[in-house]
Amino acid sequence: MTIAVADPRILESWPPELASLPFGSPAFKAANARLAAEDEAACAPFARAMPHWINLTSTTVCNLKCFMCNQFLDPNSPKVMLDEDVYQKVVRELYPYARTMQLSAFGEPLMTPKMDQKLDDLERYGMKLEMVSNGTLMMKESRFREQLLRTLELVTFSMDGATPATYDSVRTGADFHEVFANISRFAERRLEMPAAARPKMNFNYILMRRTVAEAPKFVEMVHRWGGDQIVFNHLVTFHPSLKGESLNYCRAYANEWQDRTREVAKALGVQISIPPNFADVASPAEAPAVAAPAPAASPSPTKAAPRPCGPPPVKCWFLWQRVYIAPFGDVVPCCLAGMPAFGNMAKTSFFDVWNGDTYRNYRKHVFTDKPLGKCRSCYLIWPNAELAGTEGFEYGV
């Protein structure tokens, strides 16, 4: 298939390594990914490469009502589908560079309309699919199921809890036994596929007061399924109603169960990513209903030490290598809640947004002691609330 460059101005910015390769070919995409990684390592404000990983908000509709999800907590959260003109523009301008497309991170991806068309486009451009799914619709009979399995590179199942009572209390609208059966069927079908074509199977698990004690048992479940990795993250308390579930207020309890989870994972050989333990197990006190006068000798509240210049323990991979495209063309750099759009590709070319002033300024500052905007409260920089202090991703205490 011959692919034309959608925006000829880009040719002027291509380094020789890209210009010498057939546009959109596997070698071209590999070179683009290498350049993106080099630019990230150099913290280059101007990106020579285009993103090699794209998230399309194909739908914001979900079939569940999880109590900690913004889609449920915000009554004004829109229920929309990806605009077709925006989608076609993404295909023309970004697919020749990209290796991977992830379907919606803000809805259930298997509710995406015209799924067969999107899978056709991925195959035509030599791309693979990633999904983060609640598992309720996985392995249901559909005309595109085999094509989905053929195109799929990675599926991440979001589960919170290892028993029906806990899971069903979090994932309202889902049934633990049904989801367990769906994932079990997928795990079996996956093992039937040739090893080279076999998609990876990861899991997301939110650590909160009601789920942390079931994390070790969840590791055992994933081991039986043959999963590749579990990513444990703290609950992000972006809404006051979530504060009671924060492990920031039961730190010793959280540490105990996180340690047990590590022990089980090590014994079974399951790869996990889990936040560090709280160093100070004296949980902060809840704010009183009526503030009392502070004693005269009361010490000033402490604040987390400033983050030193340079990359945090987990380096941001978004500003140079990945991008999120919203249903009507907004270009958003990452999945952090509240991150603003840096431009809109329905109104201009993606390249103008990608190397516009906003992107350049964020790239310039993200690994300094003065990151811009929501980068200051990113979970990659502050892996738990204790480190975050008043700047971090949880509400102040």
Side-chain angles (χ1 to χ4, degrees):
M1 180 181 68
T2 303
I3 306 172
V5 179
D7 187 347
R9 295 174 303 156
I10 297 177
L11 297 172
E12 300 173 5
S13 68
W14 277 359
E17 184 177 3
L18 284 184
S20 64
L21 296 169
F23 182 58
S25 67
F28 180 91
K29 290 173 180 271
N32 180 70
R34 285 196 301 272
L35 289 168
E38 289 174 8
D39 287 345
E40 177 193 289
C43 297
F46 182 91
R48 297 170 298 166
M50 297 284 264
H52 60 80
W53 185 98
I54 305 162
N55 174 279
L56 291 181
T57 305
S58 52
T59 178
T60 62
V61 177
C62 187
N63 56 337
L64 303 185
K65 295 182 178 179
C66 307
F67 76 89
M68 70 295 185
C69 178
N70 190 58
Q71 296 289 75
F72 170 69
L73 287 168
D74 181 2
N76 298 314
S77 180
K79 305 295 185 289
V80 297
M81 306 296 180
L82 179 66
D83 180 81
E84 182 64 21
D85 289 340
V86 169
Y87 171 70
Q88 293 298 338
K89 203 164 189 283
V90 169
V91 171
R92 292 193 305 272
E93 294 190 19
L94 293 180
Y95 273 27
Y97 299 87
R99 290 168 145 181
T100 304
M101 186 269 276
Q102 184 187 67
L103 284 171
S104 184
F106 301 102
E108 171 50 45
L110 288 176
M111 299 185 75
T112 297
K114 299 182 180 179
M115 189 72 164
D116 48 353
Q117 170 203 346
K118 291 174 174 58
L119 295 174
D120 285 343
D121 289 337
L122 290 176
E123 290 191 309
R124 189 166 66 253
Y125 280 87
M127 296 172 62
K128 286 292 189 176
L129 175 68
E130 286 186 9
M131 292 193 313
V132 179
S133 173
N134 58 40
T136 57
L137 304 176
M138 198 69 184
M139 302 309 291
K140 299 291 185 182
E141 291 296 333
S142 68
R143 65 183 182 277
F144 58 76
R145 190 176 78 172
E146 290 306 310
Q147 188 181 16
L148 172 68
L149 293 172
R150 185 172 68 245
T151 311
L152 196 61
E153 181 177 57
L154 165 66
V155 60
T156 301
F157 292 113
S158 296
M159 289 190 73
D160 312 301
T163 63
T166 298
Y167 174 84
D168 292 353
S169 76
V170 175
R171 299 274 166 179
T172 305
D175 177 82
F176 176 86
H177 298 292
E178 181 181 16
V179 171
F180 186 94
N182 287 344
I183 296 175
S184 297
R185 285 196 297 272
F186 174 77
E188 293 169 2
R189 179 68 180 85
R190 172 177 174 256
L191 292 178
E192 295 170 358
M193 300 172 69
R198 192 175 296 161
K200 290 184 178 180
M201 180 171 62
N202 289 356
F203 293 83
N204 286 337
Y205 189 104
I206 299 177
L207 297 170
M208 48 185 144
R209 196 182 292 259
R210 75 177 73 180
T211 66
V212 68
E214 295 185 11
K217 185 175 180 179
F218 186 74
V219 172
E220 295 173 352
M221 285 170 47
V222 171
H223 178 256
R224 290 194 294 272
W225 280 324
D228 293 292
Q229 183 184 29
I230 310 170
V231 176
F232 293 98
N233 279 314
H234 281 293
L235 174 71
V236 178
T237 56
F238 60 87
H239 189 276
S241 66
L242 303 177
K243 191 174 180 180
E245 286 287 347
S246 173
L247 294 178
N248 196 31
Y249 300 100
C250 50
R251 295 181 178 186
Y253 180 72
N255 286 357
E256 175 188 353
W257 286 106
Q258 288 188 182
D259 283 339
R260 292 195 192 185
T261 303
R262 293 185 185 97
E263 291 169 3
V264 172
K266 183 177 180 180
L268 296 177
V270 176
Q271 182 178 349
I272 68 169
S273 172
I274 193 166
N277 282 3
F278 291 98
D280 181 1
V281 295
S283 298
E286 295 283 352
V290 178
S298 177
S300 299
T302 58
K303 184 178 178 180
R307 178 169 63 86
C309 297
V314 179
K315 195 172 184 182
C316 171
W317 52 80
F318 291 100
L319 291 171
W320 289 269
Q321 304 197 48
R322 299 189 174 203
V323 70
Y324 285 72
I325 308 296
F328 300 108
D330 279 348
V331 177
V332 184
C334 69
C335 58
L336 194 65
M339 181 63 83
F342 284 11
N344 186 293
M345 66 178 298
K347 301 174 182 177
T348 186
S349 77
F350 177 82
F351 181 74
D352 288 337
V353 178
W354 185 239
N355 275 308
D357 290 343
T358 304
Y359 255 113
R360 292 196 195 194
N361 284 333
Y362 269 72
R363 290 179 185 132
K364 188 184 300 183
H365 289 90
V366 67
F367 295 137
T368 70
D369 60 350
K370 294 181 180 178
L372 301 181
K374 288 291 180 177
C375 291
R376 292 194 301 269
S377 57
C378 177
Y379 66 92
L380 294 178
I381 294 173
W382 306 115
N384 67 37
E386 177 186 38
L387 298 177
T390 58
E391 287 293 317
F393 62 81
E394 299 210 347
Y395 274 79
V397 296

